[in-house]
């Protein structure tokens, strides 16, 4: 076999050497031809320019063809030629274009042909000179160009010389190569060629073995990929799969690799599917490590933007599936069977099957589930923000920057989109059930949950949650109208059954202690332990997402604190301790702490004798007794109905605090509660059995069986007491017109259903038959009147405390309504004291008896008296009885100082006006009689100041001025009549008539009566 191989090898080697020799010969011939051609071109170029090589220019100085040395005259003429470049250029420009047409142009023939038939020597010489000047200019220009291009010429000539040398060297190299090839052809042996062949085969087999090992590894990668997918190592699986694909593309010329490449592509698609499932899991329960693996896997795939699009689609799907499953679970639970028809329903229709009992638990679970989704999205954004900060620290390519920008914008846009989906789902749930008949506490829970959800939305994406606000507003307005109408009816029922007894509360009672006002955070009930208080205080600067980032749910705190908070506002037996109750009436049940002198003075007052000592101590006693509640704690005066109204206001404010869009409607209803309470207190206790001065105010019929006649009507009308201010009158008229249904229960009320306007009104209640306002022993129901009036005043005070809170919740456009409500209604509560307590004052003192006693007094006496009249003692005894009855009433209910002042003021004013009226009934009176009047009045004042510490005595000047007017002259009397219009026509007329004959004549009398008539005419 070796014998056959050696000839073949020799023959192949010879052929290779022959081929190499041919190639070298051909290359040598090409180089020689190039060299020869180059030399020919150089010589031709030099011949065309009339130049010589440097060697020839030195040796041979003979002229070339068509070149001659200029003569002396020609050189002189050339020197005389202008050297101005512009003139030289003009000469060159004057040469005809035909001279530059081609190299074959015969200029001699051209010039001869131009000669005219008749030659003129002078013209020929001029023309010759012109041609010489042109030739000289051209020669000079050519010489300048040659001198200018001389360095380039030399440099190019050197390059040509160098090229010639290199070509000669190349020819030598080719010659040597031929010789060496010839030697190699003869020197190769069979053994060396065999070694070369074996080495080449070894290299081929080594590469084949390496390829086979790689193919074997590729065949086993599917098992490892499956393991990595089970371990959720998505980045590692994708990295391995991509490396295998890259390796497979290297060996694609093998048939087995094509099948493996297809299998790897299927595996990669399977990984992407599992990766999408893993991405969807982050929508409900975000895990940092899990999400990091998923994002790294998508980054390896180069599908970061696609992953973000898929993520938002999964969040949308998660919201829908979550709410549907929660609602479906409650619907099936309430239905009692797993009916498949519910699963086929739309979510909106499914929400209509929620029962009222399961409404709140379902809503809470719904919000909890949605919170988990939004929290996952929030954590997703935080994850990307942190990684962006890390990536920004490292310079990245433009593609990476564009990808980050896309993801960031997508996440920001997704906030609003996800919150909008949440709002629509919750809206469908809210509007799917009619909540108008819900219990108040249940509805408040719903509002609280939705308010918390809106807070989540505001922190989530800065949204004002218009969709949720509109839907909950619709439900709230519907619920609140029905609720308020029911509460007004309940309030009317309470007021009709109210006995106006004192509700015993502690002296430190505050509305903030009531459960309904806990939301205001002003204070906490003492029953709540300090540990709970500290636990309830949350950091103000932390958002909900920050609070519940590590766990928990903001909707789990609902209905947690309801049973924890209890109220402790009621006092035992109406007082805070038995010891306090014993000392409440100590100064009234026993006089042990009163000096004997004071006792004696009091006995003397009962008999009418003038006390001679201890006046200062008696005054001290009256001052001490002024509030009629010695040592009693100043507990608020209120009724059970008042407490219910306050609680109702708290409930209204809770609703208003949670749902601010209906704040105005709620505050309007709150004002109606106060209006109705004020109107009822006035209706029950402020209307007298006499005709009111204005027909616009409500009146009630006379009460039969009164034990004593009240003060005359004209005192009420013309006495100038100002019992009902114009503001109070306007307020009562407004309430009656806008809130009170005057037709309800009347004979005029037809069988037809009430119209919409009457639906908003409430009938006026009737006073309970258990309340007796006609007994003189109880000062005509003074205890009930005090409780009713002061409870109204207390209610007004609480409204004043709530004004800042209400003002913050009231829309800016509606704040004038709130201000008007406080200025014209709330502030008038204390003004009801005057008309209500005036009725007691008018009946408590027998003013008619005093008038009758004054009629029997003789005033036209001739000597000055030192003893006052009996009617003064009778009047003082009436005041003493009144004072004693006040003490009795104060044992039932505390009489505040403002109340006692109003009562005493009314009684004293009525007594003083009764005195003036009695003095006005006098037919005849002397100066001594007027002195007696002054003595009586001074005695009355002196005794009265011991009974009350009210200073100054009301209407004191009213009486004194009238008595002193008797002494006035005619002119002074006329001025008195014009200036003192507080006196009635009868009183002024009597004054003039009594003065007749003493110091006023008949003419003056007529003049004064005319003046009185002029004053009265405008009134008529």
């Amino acid at each position: 076999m070796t014998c056959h191989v050696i000839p073949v090898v020799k023959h192949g080697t010879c052929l290779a050497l022959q081929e190499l020799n041919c190639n070298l010969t051909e290359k040598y011939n090409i180089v020689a031809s190039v060299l020869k051609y180059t030399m020919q071109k150089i010589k031709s170029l030099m011949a065309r320019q009339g130049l010589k090589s440097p060697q020839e220019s030195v040796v041979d100085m003979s002229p070339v063809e068509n070149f001659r040395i200029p003569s002396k005259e020609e050189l002189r003429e050339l020197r005389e030629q202008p050297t101005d470049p512009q003139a030289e250029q003009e000469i060159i420009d004057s040469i005809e274009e035909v001279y530059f047409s081609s190299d074959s142009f015969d200029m001699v023939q051209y010039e001869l042909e131009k000669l005219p038939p008749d030659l003129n020597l002078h013209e020929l010489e001029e023309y010759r000179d012109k041609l010489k000047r042109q030739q000289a200019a051209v020669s000079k220009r050519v010489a300048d160009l040659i001198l200018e291009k001389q360095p380039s010429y030399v440099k190019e000539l050197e390059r040509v010389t160098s090229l010639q040398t290199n070509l000669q060297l190349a020819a030598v190299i080719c010659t040597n190569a031929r010789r060496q090839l010839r030697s190699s052809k003869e020197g190769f042996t069979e053994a060396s060629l065999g070694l070369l062949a074996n080495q080449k085969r070894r290299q081929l087999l080594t590469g084949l073995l390496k390829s086979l090992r790689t193919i074997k590894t590729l065949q086993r990668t599917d098992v490892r990929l499956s393991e990595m997918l089970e371990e959720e190592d998505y980045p590692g699986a994708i990295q391995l799969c991509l490396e295998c694909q890259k390796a497979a593309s290297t060996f694609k010329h093998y048939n087995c690799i094509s099948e493996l490449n297809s299998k790897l592509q299927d595996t990669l698609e399977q990984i992407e599917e599992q990766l999408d499932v893993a991405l969807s899991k982050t929508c409900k329960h975000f895990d940092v490590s899990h999400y990091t693996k998923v994002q790294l896997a998508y980054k390896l795939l180069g599908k970061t933007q696609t992953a973000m699009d898929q993520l938002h689609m999964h969040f949308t799907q998660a919201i829908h599936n979550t709410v549907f499953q929660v609602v479906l679970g409650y619907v099936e639970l309430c239905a009692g069977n797993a009916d498949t028809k519910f699963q086929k329903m739309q979510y909106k229709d499914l929400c209509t099957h929620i029962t009222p009992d399961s409404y709140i638990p379902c809503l809470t679970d719904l919000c909890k589930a949605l919170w988990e989704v939004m929290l996952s999205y929030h954590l997703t954004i935080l994850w990307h923000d942190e990684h962006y900060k890390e990536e920004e620290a490292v310079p990245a390519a433009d593609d990476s920057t564009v990808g980050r920008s896309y993801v960031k914008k997508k996440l920001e846009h997704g906030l609003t989109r996800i919150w909008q989906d949440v709002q629509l789902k919750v809206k469908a749930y809210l509007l799917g059930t009619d909540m108008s008949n819900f219990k108040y506490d249940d509805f408040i829970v719903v509002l609280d949950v939705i308010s918390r959800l809106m807070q989540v939305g505001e922190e989530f994406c800065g949204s004002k949650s218009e969709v949720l606000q509109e839907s909950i507003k619709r439900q709230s307005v519907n619920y609140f109208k029905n609720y308020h109408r029911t509460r007004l009816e309940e309030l009317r029922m309470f007021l009709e059954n109210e006995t106006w007894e004192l509700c015993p509360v502690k002296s430190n009672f505050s509305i903030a202690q009531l459960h309904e006002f806990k939301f205001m955070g002003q204070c906490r009930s003492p029953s709540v332990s300090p540990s709970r208080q500290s636990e309830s205080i949350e950091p103000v600067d932390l958002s909900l997402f920050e609070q519940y980032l590590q766990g928990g749910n903001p909707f789990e705190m609902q209905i947690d604190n309801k049973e924890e908070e209890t109220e402790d506002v009621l006092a035992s037996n109406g007082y805070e301790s038995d010891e306090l109750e014993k000392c409440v009436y100590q100064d009234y049940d026993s006089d042990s702490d009163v000096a004997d002198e004071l006792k004696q003075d009091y006995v003397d007052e009962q008999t009418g004798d003038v006390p001679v000592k201890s006046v200062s101590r008696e005054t001290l006693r009256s001052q001490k007794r002024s509030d009629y509640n010695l040592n009693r704690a100043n507990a608020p005066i209120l009724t059970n109905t008042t407490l219910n109204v306050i609680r109702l206001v708290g409930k209204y404010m809770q609703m208003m605090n949670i749902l601010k869009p209906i704040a105005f409607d709620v505050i309007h209803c709150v004002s109606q509660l106060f209006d109705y309470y004020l109107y009822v207190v006035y209706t029950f206790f402020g209307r007298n059995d006499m005709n009111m001065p204005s027909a616009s105010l409500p009146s009630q019929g006379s009460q039969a069986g009164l034990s004593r006649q009240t003060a005359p009507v004209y005192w009420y009308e013309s006495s100038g007491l100002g019992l009902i201010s114009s503001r109070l009158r306007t307020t009562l008229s407004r309430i009656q017109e806008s809130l009170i249904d005057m037709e309800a229960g009347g004979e005029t009320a037809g069988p037809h259903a009430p119209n919409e306007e009457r639906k908003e009104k409430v009938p006026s209640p009737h006073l309970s038959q258990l309340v007796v306002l006609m007994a003189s022993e109880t000062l005509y129901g003074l205890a009930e009147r005090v409780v009713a009036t002061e409870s109204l005043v207390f209610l007004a005070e609480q409204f004043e405390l709530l004004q800042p809170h209400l003002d913050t919740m009231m829309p800016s456009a509606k704040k004038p309504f709130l201000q008007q409500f406080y200025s014209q209604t709330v502030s008038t509560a204390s003004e009801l004291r005057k008309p209500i307590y005036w009725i007691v004052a008018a009946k408590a003192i027998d003013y008619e008896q005093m008038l009758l006693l004054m009629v029997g007094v003789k005033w036209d006496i001739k000597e000055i008296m030192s003893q006052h009249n009996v009617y003064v003692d009778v009047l003082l005894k009436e005041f003493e009885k009144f004072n004693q009855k006040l003490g009795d009433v104060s044992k039932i209910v505390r009489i505040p100082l403002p109340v006692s002042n109003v009562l005493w003021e009314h009684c004293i004013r009525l007594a003083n006006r009764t005195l003036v009226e009695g003095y006005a009934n006098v037919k005849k009176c002397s100066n001594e009689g007027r002195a007696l009047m002054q003595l009586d009045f001074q005695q009355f004042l002196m005794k009265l100041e011991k009974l009350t510490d009210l200073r100054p005595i009301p209407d004191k000047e009213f009486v004194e001025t009238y008595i002193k007017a008797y002494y006035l002259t005619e002119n002074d009397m006329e001025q008195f009549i014009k200036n003192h219009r507080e006196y009635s026509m009868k009183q002024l007329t009597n004054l003039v008539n009594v003065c007749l004959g003493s110091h006023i004549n008949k003419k003056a009398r007529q003049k004064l009566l005319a003046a009185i008539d002029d004053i009265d005419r405008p009134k008529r």
Side-chain angles (χ1 to χ4, degrees):
M1 179 177 180
T2 306
C3 296
H4 291 288
V5 171
I6 293 175
V8 174
V9 173
K10 285 184 177 182
H11 178 67
T13 304
C14 292
L15 292 176
L17 293 174
Q18 290 177 1
E19 184 179 356
L20 180 59
N21 188 17
C22 292
N23 290 337
L24 290 174
T25 303
E26 184 179 355
K27 291 180 180 180
Y28 177 79
N29 293 333
I30 291 174
V31 171
S33 299
V34 171
L35 182 61
K36 182 178 181 181
Y37 175 74
T38 302
M39 296 301 297
Q40 290 176 354
K41 292 294 289 183
I42 293 173
K43 290 180 179 180
S44 175
L45 179 61
M46 294 173 63
R48 291 179 61 186
Q49 295 183 356
L51 303 175
K52 297 182 180 180
S53 63
Q55 295 83 0
E56 293 176 350
S57 61
V58 175
V59 179
D60 186 11
M61 298 298 295
S62 61
V64 297
E65 186 181 358
N66 296 330
F67 182 81
R68 66 183 180 84
I69 301 174
S71 64
K72 294 181 178 180
E73 295 179 357
E74 291 174 348
L75 291 174
R76 179 175 54 80
E77 290 177 357
L78 287 173
R79 286 194 299 271
E80 292 176 356
Q81 290 296 326
T83 60
D84 184 11
Q86 184 176 1
E88 181 180 334
Q89 185 64 35
E90 291 178 356
I91 295 173
I92 293 175
D93 292 341
S94 65
I95 300 175
E96 297 181 14
E97 295 291 337
V98 70
Y99 283 95
F100 304 102
S101 60
S102 64
D103 294 339
S104 62
F105 174 66
D106 189 356
M107 61 187 72
V108 177
Q109 184 66 30
Y110 176 73
E111 291 296 337
L112 290 176
E113 291 177 355
K114 287 177 58 179
L115 294 176
D118 297 329
L119 300 175
N120 188 339
L121 180 61
H122 179 68
E123 293 178 354
L124 289 175
E125 288 179 351
E126 291 180 354
Y127 187 68
R128 183 194 64 181
D129 295 338
K130 176 182 179 181
L131 290 176
K132 285 182 178 181
R133 286 193 299 273
Q134 291 178 350
Q135 181 184 12
V138 170
S139 299
K140 187 176 184 299
R141 176 65 62 84
V142 171
D144 292 341
L145 292 174
I146 291 174
L147 291 175
E148 181 181 353
K149 301 295 182 179
Q150 179 69 19
S152 300
Y153 163 74
V154 174
K155 184 177 180 180
E156 189 66 27
L157 189 61
E158 290 176 354
R159 289 178 61 192
V160 171
T161 305
S162 176
L163 178 61
Q164 183 178 4
T165 305
N166 290 335
L167 290 174
Q168 292 175 354
L169 179 61
V172 172
I173 291 173
C174 290
T175 303
N176 293 334
R178 283 182 179 181
R179 186 173 59 253
Q180 290 176 2
L181 283 173
R182 196 178 301 114
S183 172
S184 298
K185 182 179 179 181
E186 297 173 356
F188 268 119
T189 60
E190 295 179 1
S192 59
L193 291 175
L195 290 174
L196 290 174
N198 291 333
Q199 180 65 23
K200 183 177 181 180
R201 182 181 299 175
R202 180 182 179 184
Q203 290 178 351
L204 291 174
L205 292 175
T206 303
L208 179 61
L209 179 61
K210 184 177 180 181
S211 300
L212 290 175
R213 288 175 178 173
T214 303
I215 293 173
K216 181 179 180 181
T217 304
L218 291 176
Q219 292 289 350
R220 296 179 178 178
T221 53
D222 55 344
V223 178
R224 178 56 185 159
L225 285 173
S226 300
E227 294 176 354
M228 297 177 77
L229 289 178
E230 291 179 359
E231 296 171 0
E232 295 186 350
D233 185 10
Y234 304 108
I238 292 175
Q239 184 71 30
L240 178 60
C241 190
L242 292 177
E243 291 176 356
C244 291
Q245 282 187 333
K246 183 178 180 181
S249 63
T250 306
F251 303 102
K252 61 183 179 181
H253 51 280
Y254 295 105
N255 293 333
C256 61
I257 291 299
S258 61
E259 181 181 353
L260 177 63
N261 200 6
S262 176
K263 185 177 180 180
L264 288 174
Q265 185 63 32
D266 295 340
T267 303
L268 188 61
E269 293 177 358
Q270 181 183 358
I271 293 175
E272 290 187 18
E273 292 177 359
Q274 294 192 19
L275 194 60
D276 188 62
V277 174
L279 184 65
S280 66
K281 293 180 180 179
T282 63
C283 296
K284 292 185 179 180
H285 304 287
F286 184 87
D287 182 74
V288 176
S289 60
H290 178 77
Y291 189 75
T292 304
K293 291 179 182 179
V294 173
Q295 284 297 321
L296 182 59
Y298 274 110
K299 187 175 182 180
L300 292 173
L301 290 174
K303 296 183 177 182
T304 305
Q305 298 182 8
T306 305
M308 193 51 55
D309 296 336
Q310 288 293 110
L311 180 64
H312 283 81
M313 184 186 69
H314 288 315
F315 268 106
T316 303
Q317 191 67 26
I319 292 173
H320 174 75
N321 293 340
T322 298
V323 296
F324 187 84
Q325 291 299 326
V326 170
V327 175
L328 178 63
Y330 275 93
V331 170
E332 292 179 347
L333 181 64
C334 296
N337 54 9
D339 197 342
T340 56
K341 69 176 184 178
F342 293 128
Q343 298 179 356
K344 298 178 181 179
M345 283 186 177
Q346 295 291 330
Y347 172 74
K348 187 175 181 180
D349 298 331
L350 196 64
C351 292
T352 59
H353 290 77
I354 293 291
T355 61
D357 294 337
S358 60
Y359 188 86
I360 293 178
C362 182
L363 176 63
T364 305
D365 289 346
L366 196 67
C367 292
K368 286 181 181 179
L370 292 173
W371 160 261
E372 296 295 338
V373 176
M374 288 186 287
L375 180 61
S376 296
Y377 194 86
H378 177 75
L379 293 174
T380 302
I381 294 179
L382 293 180
W383 185 92
H384 282 278
D385 290 342
E386 292 176 0
H387 281 71
Y388 288 161
K389 292 177 182 178
E390 296 175 0
E391 292 176 1
E392 287 175 355
V394 180
D398 294 339
D399 295 341
S400 178
T401 304
V402 172
R404 288 201 301 265
S405 177
Y406 176 83
V407 172
K408 185 176 181 180
K409 291 181 179 179
K410 191 74 175 179
L411 288 171
E412 291 176 353
H413 177 71
L415 286 170
T416 306
R417 178 182 171 185
I418 288 175
W419 177 241
Q420 188 69 13
D421 290 342
V422 171
Q423 286 190 90
L424 293 176
K425 297 301 182 184
V426 178
K427 175 186 177 181
Y429 182 83
L430 288 175
L431 300 181
T433 304
D434 182 14
M435 293 188 284
S436 60
N437 295 320
F438 271 34
K439 296 179 181 179
Y440 173 81
D441 291 338
D442 292 341
F443 190 74
I444 286 296
V445 171
V446 174
L447 291 184
D448 196 19
V449 171
I450 298 302
S451 176
R452 182 60 61 95
L453 184 62
M454 288 191 289
Q455 182 183 355
V456 170
E458 186 172 1
E459 295 178 3
F460 184 68
C461 63
S463 172
K464 297 300 182 183
S465 307
E466 290 82 2
V467 176
L468 278 180
Q469 286 191 14
E470 181 61 29
S471 57
I472 198 63
K473 181 179 180 181
R474 285 171 54 186
Q475 286 283 27
S476 298
V477 170
N478 182 33
Y479 173 83
F480 191 72
K481 285 182 178 180
N482 183 61
Y483 181 79
H484 180 60
R485 192 180 299 113
T486 305
R487 298 290 82 76
L488 282 178
E489 289 294 334
E490 288 183 359
L491 180 58
R492 181 175 71 90
M493 181 184 66
F494 289 154
L495 290 170
E496 287 183 343
N497 293 277
E498 179 63 61
T499 57
W500 302 102
E501 295 179 354
L502 188 65
C503 177
V505 294
K506 290 187 175 182
S507 59
N508 62 345
F509 170 74
S510 171
I511 59 173
Q513 298 170 355
L514 298 177
H515 171 71
E516 288 77 6
F517 291 91
K518 293 297 182 182
F519 72 96
M520 295 176 61
Q522 295 178 349
C523 70
R524 282 196 168 270
S525 174
S527 62
V528 182
S529 63
S531 61
R532 291 195 178 276
Q533 294 187 28
S534 60
E535 292 174 0
S536 63
I537 300 176
E538 297 179 352
V540 180
D541 56 343
L542 291 180
S543 66
L544 293 176
F545 288 97
E546 293 172 338
Q547 294 177 32
Y548 299 98
L549 190 62
Q550 303 300 329
N553 197 299
F555 300 97
E556 292 177 352
M557 60 182 295
Q558 304 300 327
I559 327 176
D560 288 346
N561 299 328
K562 276 195 171 183
E563 297 181 358
E564 296 178 1
E565 300 176 355
T566 58
E567 298 175 349
D568 187 15
V569 297
L570 298 180
S572 59
N573 298 325
Y575 303 97
E576 300 193 24
S577 67
D578 294 338
E579 290 76 9
L580 183 59
E581 184 178 2
K582 291 178 182 179
C583 68
V584 167
Y585 311 113
Q586 184 176 2
D587 291 328
Y588 294 100
D589 295 340
S590 174
D591 288 340
S592 58
D593 61 336
V594 182
D596 294 338
E597 293 85 357
L598 296 181
K599 295 180 182 179
Q600 183 63 38
D601 289 343
Y602 185 73
V603 173
D604 292 341
E605 289 171 11
Q606 294 290 343
T607 59
D609 296 335
V610 181
V612 294
K613 58 180 179 179
S614 304
V615 176
S616 60
R617 293 184 179 181
E618 180 63 25
T619 304
L620 181 63
R621 174 181 171 86
S622 64
Q623 292 177 350
K624 184 179 180 182
R625 192 174 53 237
S626 60
D627 197 21
Y628 295 93
N629 61 335
L630 302 182
N631 297 328
R632 178 181 297 193
N634 292 325
I637 298 177
L638 67 158
T639 65
N640 288 325
T641 305
T642 314
L643 201 57
N644 288 332
V645 171
I646 293 175
R647 291 183 185 276
L648 201 55
V649 171
K651 292 180 179 180
Y652 282 23
M653 290 183 65
Q654 282 185 39
M655 190 179 303
M656 178 171 47
N657 187 58
I658 295 173
L659 194 64
K660 292 180 176 58
I662 66 166
F664 173 72
D665 298 325
V666 177
I667 290 179
H668 178 68
C669 295
V670 169
S671 68
Q672 287 185 344
L673 295 176
F674 186 85
D675 288 346
Y676 193 68
Y677 195 88
L678 182 145
Y679 181 84
V680 169
V681 170
Y682 171 77
T683 304
F684 286 174
F685 304 102
R687 295 187 305 188
N688 194 23
D689 56 351
M690 60 185 70
N691 295 328
M692 291 294 103
S694 174
S696 63
L697 291 180
S699 61
Q700 70 181 25
S702 60
Q703 298 181 6
L706 289 179
S707 62
R708 178 172 290 175
Q709 180 65 31
T710 60
V713 176
Y714 57 81
W715 292 355
Y716 186 88
E717 296 179 353
S718 61
S719 60
L721 294 176
L723 299 179
I724 298 182
S725 64
S726 59
R727 184 175 61 168
L728 179 58
R729 190 186 310 277
T730 303
T731 299
L732 292 172
S733 300
R734 176 188 59 80
I735 296 173
Q736 178 174 300
E737 181 180 353
S738 62
L739 186 60
I740 306 303
D741 185 6
M742 303 302 294
E743 301 179 6
E747 296 178 357
T748 59
H752 302 288
N755 53 28
E756 291 298 326
E757 183 179 357
R758 288 190 58 193
K759 282 183 179 179
E760 305 298 330
K761 295 185 177 182
V762 187
S764 179
H766 302 285
L767 184 62
S768 173
Q769 296 180 355
L770 299 176
V771 180
V772 180
L773 303 178
M774 298 174 293
S776 61
E777 294 80 8
T778 61
L779 279 180
Y780 306 95
L782 178 59
E784 289 80 359
R785 294 177 191 272
V786 170
V787 171
T789 309
E790 299 313 306
S791 67
L792 175 64
V793 173
F794 176 79
L795 185 61
E797 292 173 353
Q798 305 314 303
F799 268 78
E800 293 287 352
L801 294 176
L802 295 174
Q803 183 179 5
H805 192 77
L806 294 175
D807 189 68
T808 57
M809 292 187 288
M810 177 69 91
S812 300
K814 301 294 184 179
K815 286 188 177 181
F817 168 82
L818 185 64
Q819 296 171 357
Q820 184 179 12
F821 167 67
Y822 271 91
S823 62
Q824 297 186 6
T825 304
V826 177
S827 60
T828 60
S830 59
E831 296 180 10
L832 277 181
R833 286 170 171 165
K834 284 189 175 182
I836 291 177
Y837 298 138
W838 182 87
I839 297 175
V840 176
K843 297 177 181 179
I845 308 296
D846 193 351
Y847 304 102
E848 291 291 339
Q849 180 186 3
M850 186 175 64
L851 282 176
L852 294 175
L853 293 174
M854 292 179 69
V855 171
V857 177
K858 185 177 181 181
W859 300 103
D860 55 346
I861 57 178
K862 300 301 182 181
E863 57 181 12
I864 297 178
M865 304 295 292
S866 60
Q867 179 66 28
H868 59 272
N869 288 302
V870 179
Y871 73 87
V872 176
D873 296 331
V874 174
L875 181 59
L876 289 172
K877 284 186 178 181
E878 289 287 330
F879 273 101
E880 291 171 358
K881 292 179 181 178
F882 172 72
N883 189 25
Q884 183 178 3
K885 289 180 180 179
L886 278 182
D888 295 338
V889 173
S890 66
K891 297 178 182 180
I892 302 174
V893 60
R894 178 176 63 89
I895 301 180
L897 181 59
V899 176
S900 64
N901 287 342
V902 170
L903 285 168
W904 278 103
E905 179 183 356
H906 282 333
C907 290
I908 295 173
R909 283 184 184 276
L910 287 173
N912 287 335
R913 291 172 188 271
T914 303
L915 290 174
V916 173
E917 186 66 20
Y919 297 151
N921 292 332
V922 175
K923 302 299 182 183
K924 294 180 180 181
C925 182
S926 61
N927 291 336
E928 292 77 7
R930 289 294 175 182
L932 181 58
M933 290 181 183
Q934 291 181 341
L935 176 62
D936 293 344
F937 186 62
Q938 291 301 321
Q939 177 69 15
F940 170 69
L941 290 179
M942 182 177 62
K943 292 285 188 177
L944 185 64
E945 288 177 351
K946 297 179 182 180
L947 295 176
T948 178
D949 58 350
L950 185 63
R951 301 292 184 274
I953 298 297
D955 283 350
K956 176 182 177 182
E957 295 79 6
F958 182 78
V959 180
E960 292 177 342
T961 303
Y962 187 79
I963 296 174
K964 294 176 181 179
Y966 176 80
Y967 303 103
L968 298 176
T969 61
E970 175 186 344
N971 294 333
D972 293 338
M973 180 68 73
E974 183 178 359
Q975 192 65 30
F976 176 85
I977 292 172
K978 293 179 180 179
N979 294 337
H980 293 273
R981 300 189 179 186
E982 66 270 19
Y983 299 104
S984 65
M985 296 293 298
K986 174 189 173 183
Q987 293 167 354
L988 293 174
T989 303
N990 179 267
L991 186 63
V992 173
N993 291 331
V994 172
C995 293
L996 178 64
S998 60
H999 55 278
I1000 295 179
N1001 54 31
K1002 291 184 178 181
K1003 184 178 180 180
R1005 173 179 176 272
Q1006 293 298 327
K1007 181 180 178 181
L1008 293 175
L1009 291 178
I1012 295 173
D1013 188 65
D1014 291 341
I1015 294 174
D1016 186 58
R1017 188 174 292 112
K1019 298 180 182 180
R1020 292 178 293 183

